Amino acid sequence: MTSALPGAAMRSVTSPGAVRPSGFGTATGVPGLPAGFCDVFSSRYVDVDGVRLHTVTGGQGPALLLIGGWPQFWYQWRHVMLPLAGHYTVIVADARGTGLSDKPATGYDSATCAREFHRLMELLGHDRFAVVGHDIGVWTAYAMAADNPGPIQRMALVDAIIPGVSASPPLLGDRRTSDFLWHFNFNRALDVNEDLVRGREDLYFGHQFATKASTPTAVPASAVAVYVQAMRLPGALRAGFEYYRAIDETMAQSLERKKRKLTLPVLAVAGDALGGENMENEVRSLADDVRSTVVADCGHFVPEEAPEALLEHLLPFLHPYRSAH
């Protein structure tokens, strides 16, 4: 997408002389990265209160945290990271249970994830930052802003419904809603879903990308293969489902958060192919200062399907934060 940008990696919080991660899932171990990507970004592990998180960081300027969705990891942001790195120190961490991060048995509710990301940014030396969340990363970003808003200057929420905020759809609803949301109940099941998907990850996750993007090939097969491989890492399948098994906790937490509206500026972004017109209304129920956009000819995976359009809206929205730094 762009040529290499000069950038300085953030200071390491690993021990002096520590070997940087390498191999599949790292900044040097995945295909299809933009030219010059590895000149700017590098992988590292950060121990966050006993949970090791894999992070990909680079760029210069005020801190910008990107939080990804299911069934993805940091790789989903690859098309927007270099352009953002020309203006910001970009931090993309694999949330617990995803990518190369640890996959503990518990702690997948939004409050726990929010505390973990706040602590990560503290360990990296950032006492103020902006946040962009996508999909279940929206659950975490909203929890961060609601539970501990002080460090967060601006927040963008990209194509998601938030348990406890969105009205629960009917079990037997219209075809469009069912096709888009049926995986919520499937993912919440105990054990049987893992047994059904294990060994068939390409079928299940391939279906997710084919049906939730604007077209079956909007997320290319080469990228889907990367996500499938990541979901075959030890513990990854179970951990991915744990986010949905923790929805009861997340819903209860969101209901409490809704009692106090956010005051920081929020940008709501959604694709138009799968109900994007509802995103603005949901975010306006949570925050007083909201801008919104619906991206044309785009499905759920906005950072991959329409990275240029996302940047077109994201960069101006973030600019006042950068200018005030």
Side-chain angles (χ1 to χ4, degrees):
M1 277 184 58
T2 183
S3 58
L5 296 171
M10 293 187 308
R11 66 179 181 86
S12 174
V13 297
T14 55
S15 60
V19 177
R20 290 193 184 276
S22 61
F24 173 76
T26 68
T28 56
V30 286
L33 296 177
F37 186 92
C38 294
D39 296 331
V40 176
F41 288 97
S42 60
S43 284
R44 69 192 65 210
Y45 288 121
V46 181
D47 188 327
V48 183
D49 299 333
V51 176
R52 189 180 71 169
L53 298 184
H54 171 244
T55 68
V56 178
T57 60
Q60 53 191 342
L64 174 62
L65 173 65
L66 309 181
I67 307 175
W70 178 91
Q72 299 168 288
F73 60 109
W74 74 263
Y75 184 72
Q76 74 168 89
W77 301 103
R78 65 195 180 280
H79 294 310
V80 300
M81 288 170 68
L82 269 179
L84 290 171
H87 309 279
Y88 301 96
T89 298
V90 179
I91 302 100
V92 192
D94 292 338
R96 63 165 55 207
T98 71
L100 298 182
S101 291
D102 282 350
K103 298 167 179 63
T106 60
Y108 295 89
D109 61 285
S110 60
T112 299
C113 294
R115 287 193 299 269
E116 198 156 80
F117 272 103
H118 269 298
R119 179 64 174 147
L120 171 69
M121 297 303 282
E122 180 183 356
L123 289 169
L124 293 175
H126 301 296
D127 58 4
R128 61 195 300 270
F129 53 92
V131 179
V132 183
H134 171 250
D135 188 71
I136 64 172
V138 167
W139 308 355
T140 300
Y142 170 54
M144 291 178 73
D147 297 354
N148 182 15
I152 302 177
Q153 307 303 299
R154 287 184 168 239
M155 179 172 67
L157 304 178
V158 184
D159 212 278
I161 63 171
I162 304 174
V165 174
S166 300
S168 181
L171 180 61
L172 298 176
D174 62 272
R175 169 56 64 179
R176 182 191 194 200
T177 302
S178 176
D179 285 349
F180 189 43
L181 299 177
W182 70 272
H183 70 282
F184 272 73
N185 279 331
F186 179 84
N187 288 359
R188 292 179 73 185
L190 299 175
D191 300 327
V192 67
N193 47 5
E194 291 171 47
D195 292 339
L196 289 169
V197 174
R198 189 178 296 110
R200 306 176 184 87
E201 292 89 351
D202 54 341
L203 175 62
Y204 182 56
F205 296 111
H207 179 80
Q208 295 296 318
F209 285 103
T211 57
K212 293 176 175 58
S214 57
T215 70
T217 58
V219 179
S222 58
V224 174
V226 171
Y227 298 126
V228 169
Q229 185 174 350
M231 276 296 183
R232 286 174 169 156
L233 294 172
L237 189 60
R238 172 196 54 79
F241 290 147
E242 290 298 338
Y243 278 98
Y244 293 83
R245 292 166 180 162
I247 277 180
D248 286 341
E249 295 172 76
T250 296
M251 287 179 64
Q253 294 161 5
S254 295
L255 288 171
E256 285 299 311
R257 294 179 187 119
K258 283 176 62 177
K259 296 176 182 178
R260 303 173 304 279
K261 271 199 166 186
L262 303 177
T263 58
L264 78 163
V266 181
L267 173 67
V269 182
D272 69 345
L274 297 164
E277 66 276 2
N278 299 319
M279 186 78 184
E280 178 178 1
N281 292 334
E282 175 159 322
V283 175
R284 288 196 183 280
S285 74
L286 304 175
D288 291 323
D289 185 356
V290 176
R291 300 114 212 242
S292 178
T293 186
V294 176
V295 180
D297 302 318
C298 182
H300 174 61
F301 303 101
V302 181
E304 290 184 278
E305 295 183 64
E308 293 87 0
L310 177 59
L311 289 166
E312 180 183 335
H313 297 284
L314 188 59
L315 286 170
F317 170 74
L318 292 173
H319 183 73
Y321 159 59
R322 179 171 179 254
S323 299
H325 190 266

